[in-house]
Amino acid sequence: MPGSEDADARDGMWLDEEAGRLVRPYTVSGGRTRPKAHFDLLTLVMATGSRPKSYLGPDHDQILDLCRAEPVSVAELAAHIGQPAVITKVLVSDLAEHKALITRAPHAIEAAIPTDRETLEAVLRGLRKRL
């Protein structure tokens, strides 16, 4: 990945082997806890290929890298970057405002599709066997 060495060097100064992450979540988001736009945990995020004009931070870069190839949900992004969902939503909001990301609401599950009881019972039996 181009520029990944620079990103690794920047990330290294924020991590400590024993203590873990040295920057608190509220610092990452500049103290903000509310995104400027509404995002569900299942909202899909995709990088546009455009970078923000100014450097926003290593977490913003990491989000852009994660959703460059395919859409990723906000929940998955939060897990990958190790931030609470609310902070991840603020970071996604920042990137969307800079037009570096596009977002799409998740598709609603069709209520007309009946649940197949046999399939659900087979899944349950399989899970019970593994436990």
Side-chain angles (χ1 to χ4, degrees), residues 30-96:
R32 295 170 293 143
T33 59
R34 290 200 172 100
K36 292 182 180 176
H38 173 75
F39 299 109
D40 189 283
L41 287 176
L42 299 178
T43 297
L44 297 174
V45 178
M46 181 80 177
T48 63
S50 174
R51 304 291 284 189
K53 291 184 180 14
S54 60
Y55 181 69
L56 298 177
D59 294 284
H60 290 89
D61 285 346
Q62 193 175 6
I63 288 172
L64 286 174
D65 289 342
L66 288 167
C67 58
R68 182 180 303 145
E70 61 186 5
V72 181
S73 72
V74 170
E76 288 176 283
L77 289 173
H80 284 294
I81 68 171
Q83 293 291 347
V86 67
I87 300 300
T88 303
K89 288 178 183 182
V90 170
L91 301 177
V92 167
S93 177
D94 292 345
L95 290 166

